[in-house]
Amino acid sequence: MQAMDYNTPNFRQLLIDKFGKALENDPNFKLTSEPTYRHNCIAFAMGMEDRWVDVAQVPWHWWPPAPIPKDENQESLVKAFEYFGFERCDMNDQMEEGYDKVLLYSREGKWTHAALITRDGVCHSKFGESFDGEHSAGSVLEKEYGLPFQMMKREKEKANLTSKMKGVFDGHCRVSQKLQFKVEVNGRLIMLEDFLIMYKGKVYLERCGNEVIVSRTGVQIIPKS
């Protein structure tokens, strides 16, 4: 069975609309896999594809355990990668034999993104809930993610630290497309467009994280305790 080509003009345009001309003009920009919500850029760069690694206070997001600070400060993301055996290094985006390298991005002091260095000057990123693909290191993602602030590396033979230290995480699934449905809010039904997350037998709204009850007539939001 022939593998599907995701690097099509229509698919590429979805990311170009978000990241702008810098990505459009990047000679290394290439989409390589389908969109999925199973993991995000941070998880992908850490070596995981079974979770969304983020500090959001929603049940299906994961973050390394304390004492790793759970916030958006640049240093907290660095410490999260250190948890998995990465160490800080200079901003050299060339490959090093025997090492995996990641590039961390931030905007206004808050971390935004992480990417793998897969060949000299070229990164492989998971673009949030969208595709993953290759792009040049540097400023091509600046419009959305800001600029690189730290390079980190880890010996390839230590990659097993990821599987040992990530712990058990019950996965989730997601409705494959955005839905419009009626939601009960303060006794009134309103139309809402959102994704529904199924996690540990319960259903949640993606944007706010509230649990919901789905019925034939609509969706009832359960207030957070």
Side-chain angles (χ1 to χ4, degrees):
M1 185 175 179
Q2 187 176 3
M4 181 173 177
D5 178 17
Y6 294 99
N7 195 45
T8 66
N10 287 341
F11 287 158
R12 288 170 61 89
Q13 192 62 45
L14 293 175
L15 285 185
I16 289 169
D17 289 344
K18 184 175 183 178
F19 291 94
K21 288 290 184 181
L23 188 63
E24 182 178 18
N25 296 330
D26 179 10
N28 292 310
F29 175 41
K30 179 182 179 181
L31 297 179
T32 56
S33 294
E34 64 183 330
T36 177
Y37 192 77
R38 293 291 301 177
H39 59 285
N40 66 341
C41 63
I42 307 301
F44 183 74
M46 287 175 168
M48 298 181 287
E49 297 185 4
D50 66 343
R51 66 194 66 193
W52 192 280
V53 179
D54 194 89
V55 298
Q57 299 298 321
V58 291
W60 56 89
H61 285 216
W62 181 89
W63 189 252
I68 308 300
K70 190 176 182 179
D71 58 47
E72 296 177 302
N73 293 327
Q74 291 180 353
E75 186 66 14
S76 299
L77 184 62
V78 171
K79 290 186 179 301
F81 275 87
E82 288 178 338
Y83 174 78
F84 288 117
F86 288 88
E87 58 186 42
R88 303 165 207 243
C89 61
D90 60 36
M91 297 292 282
N92 181 352
D93 59 17
Q94 306 300 294
M95 297 294 294
E96 292 186 39
E97 186 176 357
Y99 284 89
D100 291 317
K101 299 178 75 172
V102 296
L103 189 58
L104 311 185
Y105 293 71
S106 70
R107 180 186 296 281
E108 298 179 351
K110 296 182 178 181
W111 62 262
T112 56
H113 182 66
L116 289 168
I117 300 293
T118 53
R119 45 196 173 93
D120 290 354
V122 178
C123 294
H124 191 177
S125 285
K126 174 70 168 64
F127 294 103
E129 63 193 41
S130 186
F131 302 88
D132 67 76
E134 294 183 336
H135 57 87
S136 296
S139 62
V140 296
L141 305 182
E142 182 176 4
K143 180 181 177 183
E144 187 71 17
Y145 292 145
L147 295 171
F149 73 92
Q150 182 67 60
M151 184 80 72
M152 303 188 75
K153 66 181 182 180
R154 180 179 66 183
E155 293 178 35
K156 287 183 178 294
E157 63 184 28
K158 294 182 179 179
N160 63 338
L161 291 176
T162 300
S163 58
K164 287 182 177 180
M165 301 183 73
K166 66 183 182 179
V168 176
F169 180 77
D170 293 328
H172 61 270
C173 60
R174 178 183 186 175
V175 176
S176 60
Q177 60 183 353
K178 192 171 290 187
L179 302 177
Q180 285 189 334
F181 43 79
K182 293 180 180 179
V183 176
E184 183 179 334
V185 179
N186 298 326
R188 296 177 56 241
L189 287 176
I190 63 173
M191 290 299 297
L192 185 69
E193 185 178 69
D194 205 349
F195 292 97
L196 297 180
I197 302 292
M198 279 70 72
Y199 179 74
K200 290 187 176 180
K202 296 182 179 180
V203 183
Y204 299 86
L205 291 178
E206 179 196 34
R207 292 177 182 172
C208 61
N210 286 72
E211 184 184 350
V212 295
I213 297 175
V214 181
S215 67
R216 292 181 179 179
T217 57
V219 175
Q220 179 183 357
I221 297 178
I222 299 176
K224 294 181 179 179
S225 57

